[in-house]
Amino acid sequence: MSKQARLAAGARLGRRSFMTLAAGAVAVRGSLFAAEAAEGVVLPALPYAQDALAPVVTAQTVSFHYGKHHQGYVNTLNKLLAGTALAGKPLEEIVRATAGQAGQAALFNNAAQIWNHTFYWNSLSPAGGTPSGALAEALVRGFGSVDACKAALTEAALTQFGSGWAWLVAEKGQVRAVKTPNAETPLTQPGVIPLLTIDVWEHAYYLDWQNRRADYVKAVIDQRLNWAFAAANFARSVAGQA
Ligand code: MN
């Protein structure tokens, strides 16, 4: 199927299938963010082989980051959810319901980290590439140029003190770069649609780059961003589907 046909099919099928198709994954589960009631929240499959992002993100890093950290959030969340009113709810609903709620921090942190990490794996692509089409036009409108967009994303990633995330987001078609600490996510901000994210927790880069966060961020932005995924997310923003 051509890229255009895939995007059109995604628009017809709605958001969940759209993200699966945009990521180039086979729609086996139906959603990258699947939350089947019977088995609890599940760890979505990686959209590529564990060694596909090397040398920017090596198989060793992916094996720990996906296999231990991401899986760990899934295991912990399912324990925390057992017997609560949120058990069996979709992951995004759990994230939104617990954000900023007193006494719900553990649920929020684990649920949001699952969502953020799934979004991160889909924000990366073995082939990398460059933004095109309506997204590229929006980046030029918002930042002045694609290079200026990359510089703003870099600044967000490097100025996030301690653990957190750098994001490219859109709101009503307007793009900007933001950062969030710890498990915080733009998903909880009404009207804001995440386009891409870069994990800047130390576990994301320390095995490959040690303390050199700047080198990791530059390599990811130059060589491994999934601009097709960002474009698909941006299309939803333009359509006004918050
Ligand atoms: Mn991480």
Side-chain angles (χ1 to χ4, degrees), residues 46-48 53 62 65-66 70 117-124:
L46 276 178
Y48 34 69
L53 302 171
V62 174
H65 197 180
Y66 173 74
H70 199 174
H117 279 88
T118 301
F119 199 82
Y120 169 67
W121 298 124
N122 284 280
S123 294
L124 303 181

Side-chain angles (χ1 to χ4, degrees):
M1 199 187 291
S2 74
K3 181 179 168 191
Q4 214 161 29
R6 270 190 292 123
L7 292 176
R12 283 197 303 276
L13 291 167
R15 182 180 187 189
R16 294 174 64 164
S17 299
F18 197 6
M19 298 192 78
T20 304
L21 291 162
V26 179
V28 176
R29 292 178 196 271
S31 170
L32 293 170
F33 299 96
E36 287 83 14
E39 41 182 318
V41 173
V42 298
L43 179 68
L46 276 178
Y48 34 69
Q50 293 209 357
D51 62 356
L53 302 171
V56 176
V57 181
T58 63
Q60 188 191 20
T61 287
V62 174
S63 74
F64 280 94
H65 197 180
Y66 173 74
K68 303 294 184 188
H69 292 275
H70 199 174
Q71 179 72 65
Y73 297 126
V74 171
N75 297 346
T76 302
L77 181 66
N78 282 324
K79 285 182 191 148
L80 292 170
L81 281 174
T84 74
L86 289 171
K89 301 288 189 191
L91 182 61
E92 293 187 5
E93 188 177 330
I94 296 168
V95 173
R96 290 187 168 117
T98 56
Q101 299 297 310
Q104 303 272 53
L107 271 172
F108 171 79
N109 285 336
N110 284 280
Q113 282 295 79
I114 297 167
W115 193 92
N116 290 346
H117 279 88
T118 301
F119 199 82
Y120 169 67
W121 298 124
N122 284 280
S123 294
L124 303 181
S125 155
T130 54
S132 62
L135 174 62
E137 290 166 16
L139 297 180
V140 171
R141 261 198 325 275
F143 296 98
S145 68
V146 170
D147 281 348
C149 164
K150 292 180 178 177
L153 187 57
T154 300
E155 187 186 2
L158 299 189
T159 58
Q160 172 52 43
F161 184 78
S163 296
W165 303 82
W167 305 82
L168 203 56
V169 301
E171 189 169 7
K172 296 193 174 98
Q174 302 296 307
V175 291
R176 63 180 189 273
V178 298
K179 58 192 174 186
T180 59
N182 303 315
E184 296 292 327
T185 174
L187 179 67
T188 59
Q189 298 164 19
V192 175
I193 293 194
L195 304 181
L196 284 176
T197 194
I198 302 173
D199 189 341
V200 294
W201 284 57
E202 284 186 347
H203 66 226
Y205 58 89
Y206 223 83
L207 291 175
D208 299 330
W209 302 91
Q210 292 74 53
N211 59 316
R212 292 175 285 129
R213 184 190 289 194
D215 291 344
Y216 155 72
V217 167
K218 178 174 170 42
V220 166
I221 290 177
D222 286 349
Q223 304 173 49
R224 292 290 184 271
L225 286 184
N226 185 350
W227 290 106
F229 179 65
N233 293 323
F234 179 71
R236 288 191 298 110
S237 164
V238 173
Q241 303 165 31

